[in-house]
Amino acid sequence: MWRRQHMIHLICWTFLGVLVFISLYTHARDGNALRLSITLPETLRFSRMSPTWFAFSPAGKCGNDLSHDQWANKTAKFLALDWPFHLGFNNLRFIIEEGIYLANLLDRHLLLPPSLKMRTCTNDTMCKVSGCTAQSDSTYWCPLSHFLSVNVLQSAGATVINNLAEFEEGKSIKNVEDAFSDLYSPSTLSLDKIPDHILPYLNGSNYYTKSSALHFPYWDYRRGCEMSYFEIRRHVWSSWDNRNVRILGFTEMYGSMDEDILHLHGAPHDIYHTPVLWHSFAAQAQSKRLIDKGIRYNHAVHSYADLLSSILKNESKTAQYMAVHLRRGDFVTQGWLGSGRNLSVVLSNILNVRDRNEVIYMATNEENTTLLDMYRMHGVRMWDDYANTLKRSGVGKLLSPMLGFQDFVGLIEQLVCAQARAFMGTHCSSVTGGILNFRRNMLGDNSFLKTVEHL
């Protein structure tokens, strides 16, 4: 009897040890501080065998992980947004970044969708075994965890909800329609919060109506149409020039709402602007930290990118490479490229930046093989030149079938471009914008070399 109990205890402790090891390995792999929380590997968390309701316990601002029981007791508050799934991945990533910050302002946790829509599958065999769900229109819905590190999102205060309707049961909900139109209106100054010394001077409609002059500083980004964050700028608001401008504070607008879930409806997305500007440099710095560190691509994406980057450096006689993102497709059909429609002009601009004997890697959605061969004659490399090598490498492990999706490959190419000696991108492309922001964070590079200087 004693031996049987001893054997049962030994088996239980061994099983527990395996789970703890998996948890520690997963956290260490994604660069997070180690926490003793029993967690399944990310690639398994949103499989088709997942339960109908599962949410990751958010950490970060609240200090400790929140259990399901704590959520049921309503000790945490949440922010929900409308997700425009018709947009590409990079647009959605920018919305996630902004949403994490807005939720942080309100001491809430951002609710994230469990899946993203993948519009282009380039390999049906791989896509069918990727763990994504096929739709009748030949698109797929793929788990968010296949693209982004859920651990990092969690540490920034976001949480993924598989079934929002079930999650909302028993919780109070506040719906705010058209929540972003005032924030993006040219007739408003939308701040994270209104400075305390300014509030007493605003009327009920948030206009300054006093006869004496009022001046105060605020900060924003110089942001490109590709949603790239360049320099931080300081401005001074003056009542002399802005009598007809309302001064809004996001915290004042929504911070006092006490419902468990605050759902801000409308489009949280604007090409040129962030939803709010900042009342202090410290507030802007906090926003930058969240945006810079709240998003990390899945470990498999980084593994593929590091491998391809290493291959390119080894092939180059200079041990470094140049990278280009050349957006075509709808940019051509809509007439947005101007002189950039002429790929000979673009090639000339690229070669002017290239160092002698340097490999050039180009990420592009151009499908004309004749035009692409013209680039290859000048030593330009592309994804197809390395796809089979990367597929055979095994570095992506369980996520290797995701190489069948164009958007997943796009994430890898962004990181490859981010590690290049020099980068040239396409004006107003959000893919380029993501690369520019990676380079700013990784290399301190705020430059923007364009394939053509104007549209």
Side-chain angles (χ1 to χ4, degrees):
M1 184 67 178
W2 178 87
R3 289 183 179 178
R4 180 181 299 173
Q5 290 178 340
H6 181 74
M7 183 61 67
I8 292 173
H9 289 163
L10 179 61
I11 293 172
C12 290
W13 281 108
T14 301
F15 180 70
L16 180 61
V18 170
L19 289 178
V20 171
F21 172 79
I22 291 173
S23 173
L24 294 176
Y25 170 78
T26 302
H27 285 284
R29 183 192 64 188
D30 283 336
N32 296 332
L34 299 183
R35 294 195 301 268
L36 289 176
S37 57
I38 308 305
T39 314
L40 290 174
E42 283 185 10
T43 51
L44 300 180
R45 292 178 188 167
F46 284 100
S47 68
R48 293 178 181 176
M49 299 303 293
S50 298
T52 55
W53 184 93
F54 184 79
F56 290 102
S57 51
K61 208 175 166 190
C62 294
N64 298 317
D65 288 352
L66 300 176
S67 68
H68 180 201
D69 291 339
Q70 286 175 301
W71 286 357
N73 292 331
K74 302 180 182 179
T75 59
K77 307 290 185 184
F78 302 91
L79 175 65
L81 302 175
D82 294 341
W83 298 102
F85 291 113
H86 64 284
L87 297 177
F89 173 85
N90 286 280
N91 290 277
L92 289 171
R93 191 191 72 243
F94 283 114
I95 295 173
I96 292 173
E97 291 173 349
E98 298 294 351
I100 287 173
Y101 175 63
L102 296 179
N104 184 273
L105 283 177
L106 303 178
D107 198 18
R108 291 176 178 269
H109 300 281
L110 179 67
L111 297 180
L112 295 174
S115 303
L116 297 179
K117 187 176 183 179
M118 296 296 102
R119 296 171 292 182
T120 305
C121 169
T122 59
N123 186 313
D124 287 336
T125 301
M126 298 179 74
C127 294
K128 288 177 181 178
V129 296
S130 64
C132 302
T133 303
Q135 303 296 305
S136 58
D137 60 355
S138 299
T139 62
Y140 284 79
W141 285 90
C142 297
L144 181 67
S145 59
H146 282 17
F147 301 89
L148 301 176
S149 167
V150 177
N151 290 331
V152 174
L153 289 168
Q154 175 181 325
S155 69
T159 186
V160 179
I161 301 297
N162 267 8
N163 191 315
L164 183 60
E166 290 187 17
F167 181 74
E168 290 177 339
E169 288 183 6
K171 295 179 176 65
S172 55
I173 303 172
K174 175 68 174 181
N175 288 289
V176 180
E177 302 298 330
D178 197 22
F180 293 92
S181 60
D182 281 344
L183 294 176
Y184 286 125
S185 170
S187 62
T188 63
L189 174 65
S190 305
L191 301 172
D192 57 332
K193 72 181 296 293
I194 300 174
D196 293 338
H197 67 285
I198 303 298
L199 272 173
Y201 300 102
L202 303 181
N203 65 13
S205 300
N206 285 72
Y207 289 100
Y208 179 73
T209 58
K210 304 296 182 181
S211 57
S212 57
L214 175 67
H215 310 278
F216 64 87
Y218 67 94
W219 283 258
D220 73 354
Y221 279 113
R222 181 172 67 86
R223 179 165 161 168
C225 58
E226 59 285 317
M227 294 175 290
S228 51
Y229 301 111
F230 295 108
E231 62 183 345
I232 299 167
R233 302 183 298 188
R234 181 183 185 273
H235 306 270
V236 175
W237 189 90
S238 172
S239 60
W240 290 343
D241 306 316
N242 296 285
R243 285 286 181 179
N244 296 321
V245 173
R246 299 171 67 201
I247 302 174
L248 301 179
F250 188 80
T251 304
E252 285 76 17
M253 293 170 68
Y254 301 117
S256 62
M257 295 181 178
D258 196 45
E259 287 79 8
D260 300 320
I261 300 175
L262 172 62
H263 194 145
L264 300 182
H265 294 277
H269 179 64
D270 185 274
I271 291 177
Y272 288 99
H273 305 100
T274 55
V276 298
L277 309 181
W278 296 273
H279 78 286
S280 70
F281 181 81
Q284 195 282 331
Q286 179 191 23
S287 168
K288 184 178 184 299
R289 284 193 296 271
L290 283 169
I291 290 174
D292 289 349
K293 298 182 179 180
I295 298 286
R296 178 180 169 84
Y297 288 163
N298 185 286
H299 178 71
V301 177
H302 283 269
S303 297
Y304 282 123
D306 290 344
L307 176 58
L308 180 50
S309 178
S310 176
I311 293 173
L312 292 169
K313 290 176 181 177
N314 288 334
E315 289 184 354
S316 179
K317 294 180 180 179
T318 62
Q320 57 188 7
Y321 62 94
M322 176 186 171
V324 178
H325 171 238
L326 181 62
R327 175 71 177 267
R328 302 291 287 172
D330 56 342
F331 272 44
V332 174
T333 58
Q334 297 295 329
W336 295 337
L337 289 176
S339 61
R341 291 173 62 93
N342 187 334
L343 288 184
S344 296
V345 173
V346 174
L347 178 60
S348 176
N349 291 338
I350 293 171
L351 296 178
N352 286 336
V353 176
R354 176 193 198 177
D355 278 354
R356 185 177 180 182
N357 297 321
E358 185 178 47
V359 167
I360 301 174
Y361 181 82
M362 185 169 74
T364 183
N365 61 341
E366 176 61 60
E367 297 179 348
N368 187 315
T369 56
T370 301
L371 293 174
L372 296 179
D373 286 343
M374 175 181 71
Y375 275 67
R376 284 194 169 94
M377 289 175 59
H378 292 272
V380 176
R381 313 286 204 274
M382 299 170 216
W383 176 259
D384 288 346
D385 299 323
Y386 303 99
N388 289 332
T389 299
L390 295 174
K391 290 173 185 176
R392 292 193 300 264
S393 70
V395 298
K397 299 180 181 179
L398 294 178
L399 286 185
S400 59
M402 291 296 295
L403 293 176
F405 290 106
Q406 189 179 78
D407 280 336
F408 187 84
V409 170
L411 306 192
I412 298 170
E413 292 190 306
Q414 279 189 311
L415 293 179
V416 170
C417 291
Q419 299 178 56
R421 176 196 64 82
F423 169 69
M424 295 186 76
T426 301
H427 184 58
C428 284
S429 164
S430 61
V431 175
T432 285
I435 296 168
L436 293 174
N437 291 336
F438 280 133
R439 291 181 65 84
R440 179 200 67 187
N441 295 338
M442 296 166 59
L443 307 176
D445 180 10
N446 285 317
S447 64
F448 184 9
L449 302 175
K450 301 175 184 178
T451 52
V452 288
E453 282 302 319
H454 62 279
L455 292 180

